[in-house]
Amino acid sequence: MDQTASVKNLEQWIEELDQFNQTPGNGTTRPVFTAEDMAARSYVHKLMESVGLEVKEDNAGNLFGVLPGEDPSLEPVWTGSHIDTVPNGGKYDGIAGVFAGIEALRMIKESGAPHKRSLSANVYSGEEMSRFGVCCIGSRAIAGRLHLEDLKSHSDPSGTSLYQALKDVGYDPDSFDEEFPCKTPVYASLELHIEQNDVLEKSNYPVGAVTGICAPTNMVVEVFGVQSHAGGTSMTARRDAYMAAAEISLLLERLALESDSMYITGTVGEMTLEPNAANVIPGHATFSVDIRSVTIEDKDALLEKFYSGIKEIEERRKVKVTTDMMNHDKAVICDEHIVELVRKGSADLGIPTMDIVSGPYHDSLMLGDITKVGITKVGMLFVPSKDGISHNKAEWTSIEDIAKGTDILANTLLKLANEA
Ligand code: GLV
Ligand code: MN
Ligand code: MN
């Protein structure tokens, strides 16, 4: 292909999208299905049209910018990522992959290179779990792992259900179970994303070929103790919901540290106490648990010890603990053929790459669920994150590195789109 990625386009689109932000000056906050998210989608929709893509949308809010191929009967090739963010996050997580995808398709179109399969640059709804407690809303729906009844059971902190939120912004959640899983098989999917760790930077590689994607297990844990007076209740008489929650959190940390899997992580990122007053022993604690690893067996082994530890804490502290699992996802091993195409495509362009495993999850994790959607090949490529920082306003990736990744992405997508 005679085209190379335009640094100017990528920079301009990333900066312009950042105007749709609830916290200007303090990182980027764009929770899924808020006014800012909807305005950002409409920006991307117009951009897709302006580079000559045919835009489609589904009832999970996923956007598809399609560049038709010569043979519409062949399964298409996908790329894309997400535009929602965590609270006070950065402007590259997900966004870099969305614009890299659009730029790659623009390059392919403008080069006039023939391709048999259609190509689609996508935006998947709500990859971050921070609003509704469930991650990858759009890609999970595509994979048939999110149903109408789930939409009603997941709510944001204000009590708005995912079902209601979809309705409020104009989608038709009632059609969910007919529309999903996505009815059309996809030939291959390749997503560009920022690394969100410092492996590439430390090793001095501008691009990584992702070989596997760790998967999250998420739960909400509730501890029911007894609310009582901070001065009037002796240390031995109290049934403190927070102290039990703290002990469960430390148990999670210890189990993750003791695991012999190098990819396992355990995180408590959110906690609420009731009544949340300095001189009152909390009667109720609710907190999130996030466990990741590259195999489900690692997570199952940790979970078994976690549950039995919780039981012991529950009995000793005379509290009641409930755990509500939101998702227990399976890691994806990237398709060796795509990984090889990425390695080779980088070498052809003189861009050094290394193999890398993703600790964070991504939409590609859902798209790799071959059993339901029929996607046979999933791959990702990473570009470096400065100091490995992400989910933070200091998140930064050089546009030149995103452009290098986009060049590899475009060339690899073109090869995939011409495979028989
Ligand atoms: C995605 O943002 C993740 O938390 O891995
Ligand atoms: Mn993220
Ligand atoms: Mn992301």
Side-chain angles (χ1 to χ4, degrees):
M1 200 186 1
D2 59 357
Q3 292 275 320
T4 51
S6 158
V7 167
K8 188 171 156 287
N9 280 353
L10 292 165
E11 185 160 37
Q12 182 185 334
W13 299 342
I14 290 171
E15 289 309 320
E16 284 179 357
L17 197 80
D18 209 48
Q19 69 190 283
F20 309 112
N21 178 6
Q22 294 180 345
T23 55
N26 191 18
T28 306
T29 305
R30 191 165 48 242
V32 65
F33 304 138
T34 56
E36 291 75 17
D37 181 46
M38 297 316 289
R41 281 158 196 272
S42 127
Y43 173 92
V44 175
H45 190 132
K46 286 193 199 111
L47 176 68
M48 286 170 167
E49 283 174 345
S50 77
V51 302
L53 307 180
E54 293 173 10
V55 186
K56 296 186 203 149
E57 200 168 6
D58 66 20
N59 276 305
N62 297 310
L63 274 177
F64 304 85
V66 181
L67 183 62
E70 288 164 359
D71 185 350
S73 74
L74 292 175
E75 295 162 357
V77 174
W78 282 4
T79 182
S81 195
H82 62 100
I83 56 167
D84 64 314
T85 75
V86 296
N88 310 101
K91 58 184 174 194
Y92 302 90
D93 175 2
I95 292 123
V98 165
F99 291 137
I102 296 173
E103 176 65 3
L105 267 50
R106 183 198 67 76
M107 290 159 64
I108 294 172
K109 186 172 162 58
E110 285 191 14
S111 75
H115 52 100
K116 295 197 188 69
R117 297 176 183 276
S118 296
L119 286 150
S120 184
N122 305 340
V123 175
Y124 305 107
S125 293
E127 187 259 7
E128 304 291 0
M129 63 178 81
S130 33
R131 181 168 178 199
F132 290 101
V134 63
C135 65
C136 301
I137 292 169
S139 49
R140 190 178 288 277
I142 288 172
R145 289 157 71 169
L146 190 68
H147 306 282
L148 179 56
E149 62 178 64
D150 304 319
L151 302 182
K152 294 182 177 166
S153 68
H154 294 299
S155 296
D156 71 4
S158 77
T160 304
S161 67
L162 179 48
Y163 174 87
Q164 193 56 46
L166 277 160
K167 246 189 158 148
D168 289 348
V169 293
Y171 300 111
D172 174 19
D174 290 306
S175 68
F176 230 70
D177 288 351
E178 277 153 52
E179 188 167 342
F180 302 112
C182 156
K183 301 294 177 287
T184 358
V186 174
Y187 178 68
S189 160
L190 179 60
E191 174 181 4
L192 177 146
H193 203 282
I194 58 165
E195 183 200 340
Q196 310 182 287
N197 197 345
D198 60 3
V199 177
L200 292 175
E201 186 182 61
K202 282 200 170 133
S203 320
N204 220 4
Y205 279 95
V207 173
V210 179
T211 53
I213 310 166
C214 290
T217 294
N218 295 95
M219 58 174 94
V220 175
V221 181
E222 283 188 82
V223 183
F224 300 88
V226 175
Q227 178 179 331
S228 62
H229 194 292
T233 317
S234 74
M235 290 311 288
T236 48
R238 54 187 67 198
R239 291 160 70 185
D240 185 329
Y242 167 68
M243 290 298 173
E247 209 178 334
I248 295 170
S249 308
L250 290 170
L251 167 70
L252 176 68
E253 183 187 49
R254 178 170 60 74
L255 292 176
L257 280 167
E258 283 172 6
S259 162
D260 31 331
S261 161
M262 73 179 276
Y263 294 108
I264 209 151
T265 57
T267 304
V268 173
E270 202 180 1
M271 184 167 305
T272 49
L273 302 177
E274 283 166 47
N276 206 25
N279 58 350
V280 184
I281 297 165
H284 185 210
T286 309
F287 60 100
S288 61
V289 165
D290 178 301
I291 301 166
R292 316 275 180 109
S293 191
V294 79
T295 75
I296 201 133
E297 290 78 18
D298 292 344
K299 296 195 292 182
D300 285 340
L302 183 146
L303 278 171
E304 202 184 313
K305 293 185 193 152
F306 189 50
Y307 288 134
S308 75
I310 288 178
K311 204 160 178 336
E312 188 276 317
I313 293 167
E314 196 176 23
E315 282 161 12
R316 179 163 41 79
R317 290 188 170 271
K318 298 190 177 54
V319 294
K320 167 119 192 72
V321 182
T322 60
T323 56
D324 183 10
M325 195 178 278
M326 319 290 277
N327 54 284
H328 184 45
D329 294 315
K330 209 165 150 232
V332 157
I333 304 299
C334 293
D335 181 80
E336 184 48 37
H337 171 63
I338 297 198
V339 178
E340 192 48 37
L341 283 181
V342 170
R343 288 184 196 122
K344 195 166 172 319
S346 317
D348 290 348
L349 294 171
I351 302 170
T353 46
M354 64 178 283
D355 286 2
I356 190 163
V357 168
S358 175
Y361 65 75
H362 300 286
D363 291 300
S364 295
L365 187 72
M366 297 293 137
L367 304 177
D369 184 354
I370 57 167
T371 51
K372 304 231 173 83
V373 195
I375 291 180
T376 52
K377 299 184 177 79
V378 168
M380 289 191 76
L381 51 96
F382 276 176
V383 286
S385 294
K386 185 172 185 312
D387 300 326
I389 294 171
S390 181
H391 285 187
N392 181 308
K393 63 181 179 187
E395 179 182 278
W396 188 82
T397 292
S398 102
I399 301 288
E400 285 72 21
D401 285 345
I402 300 175
K404 283 183 190 143
T406 306
D407 285 336
I408 301 169
L409 178 71
N411 283 285
T412 312
L413 290 172
L414 187 57
K415 281 185 200 145
L416 288 165
N418 278 309
E419 288 183 355

